[in-house]
Amino acid sequence: MQFTTVKGFKDILPGEVEIWQSVESTARNLFRSFGFHEIKTPLLERTELFTRGIGEATDIVSKEMYSLTDTRGRSMSLRPEATASVARAYIQNRLYLKNPVQKLFTIGPMFRHERPQKGRFRQFHQIDAELFGDPGPKSDAEIIVLSATLIDALGIKDTVLNINSLGCRECRPEFRERLQRFMQDRSEQLCPDCKRRAEINPLRVFDCKVKRCNEVVSDAPSILDFLCDSCRHHFEAVKDYLGLADVSFTVNPRLVRGLDYYSRTAFEIQTDKLGAQNAIAGGGRYDGLVKLLGGPDHPAIGFAMGVERVVALLQDTETRKPERPDLFIADIGENARKTSFAWLLRLRKQGLWVETDYGSGGLKAKMKKADRLGAARVLIVGDDELESGRAVLRDMDTKDQTEIELGNVVETLLSLILMAS
Ligand code: HAM
């Protein structure tokens, strides 16, 4: 029997991994300049953290979690997103005592049992940033600017930033009620899923991909007409800050998010290059979550970007040259194999990528191997060369060959290679 990956899970192979590394290092550098610190939380948490945090009626919690029961009968789940876990860590470790404003980021796999399709996986990765402890519109703008700057720094073009305000505990209930009535009046025209959504969470109908539901939604009431003064001022100020930051955005009153913890600002960065899965990053303010999870009443805002989606966009435009070994040592004969093994280790210690092979084949076979690996140059060394104290260095691009002294071979190779790079 041959084993293959589970449906919706995938291997990330050399060739693609380099793009992942570059995405992660761009993110880490940017997070540093915005003052965010990395945190790593477990992949497995108590199921209740997510049911309470994300919301029992959401698709994520009601049908997409990978849950199991442990030997003591407790329900555990693989994290479907990072926010609830980071908020738990913030509360459990009382991070707020160290600094009233905590800026944290995390990078890692998430799990959702969704129907796999282009850009949608059951194990996927997020780059996630969370800012705890500030209620003001400036931190909303900082998080939105951070996500837009990240997309920009990654070289992703033609994206649209949609923003909305989802109101607060004061003003949302009235809107929800009005929307519910609106949807109930048109229930016959809605898809079966939205019929159910209209009852439990009518805002989610905005997110439906079914054309009929889209038509119904097109003249639904707008949340922006229901915002209380405080939410309206907050949203205006966020927009002002975004204007100051020169970030272009579209106000989209139909933008809702698939998680229940949001209040006020919500946003998404979208592309039309990934088919139905058009969101590259999304986030928003979640002022009630920390308290809901048993912590102090601290406001927060954050976002997460889907790494698979970003990598798919970058793969389409990727022009980077693949990395190649700096040197291949073609060692012919027992003595050369042993002597050059020490050179190889010393050169690697200096950070060079040095390859050799493990067989005792002849020069032709070794040159073929060096060529297949794409080595930039080959050092040819056999027993004769050891005796004469001189060996040949072949440039694999120009085919030029030079003789080098074996006296200080490591230093000579190091300076030649560093000079050329
Ligand atoms: P989300 O919108 O559910 O938000 O996910 C954020 C991003 O993760 C999406 O925009 C998408 O790029 C990626 N993503 C989601 N599901 C999948 C999937 N099945 N396959 C591939 N990529 C996927 C959250 O998770 C919130 N926790 C974001 C947040 C942080 N809000 C506040 N702080």
Side-chain angles (χ1 to χ4, degrees), residues 60 80-83 112 114 119-126 128-130 257-259 261-262 268-269 279-284 286 301-309:
I60 296 179
E81 56 110 50
T83 310
R112 293 185 194 173
E114 295 186 87
R120 190 158 77 189
F121 302 93
R122 290 181 172 171
Q123 175 179 312
F124 61 98
H125 296 71
Q126 286 186 342
D128 174 281
E130 313 289 354
R257 308 262 308 123
L259 307 100
Y261 47 60
Y262 292 114
E268 238 170 51
I269 299 182
I280 313 175
Y286 52 96
I301 177 157
F303 82 95
M305 188 186 84
V307 183
E308 280 77 2
R309 294 187 189 174

Side-chain angles (χ1 to χ4, degrees), residues 94-110:
R94 300 214 260 168
L95 297 180
Y96 43 89
L97 294 181
K98 294 189 192 115
N99 195 336
V101 174
Q102 275 291 331
K103 302 196 224 178
L104 304 167
F105 76 91
T106 192
I107 301 178
M110 311 293 153

Side-chain angles (χ1 to χ4, degrees), residues 159-177:
T159 57
V160 177
L161 165 64
N162 278 293
I163 66 167
N164 193 18
S165 174
L166 300 176
C168 65
R169 246 173 301 163
E170 301 300 316
C171 53
R172 203 182 322 166
E174 193 191 336
F175 171 66
R176 198 179 171 282
E177 210 173 287

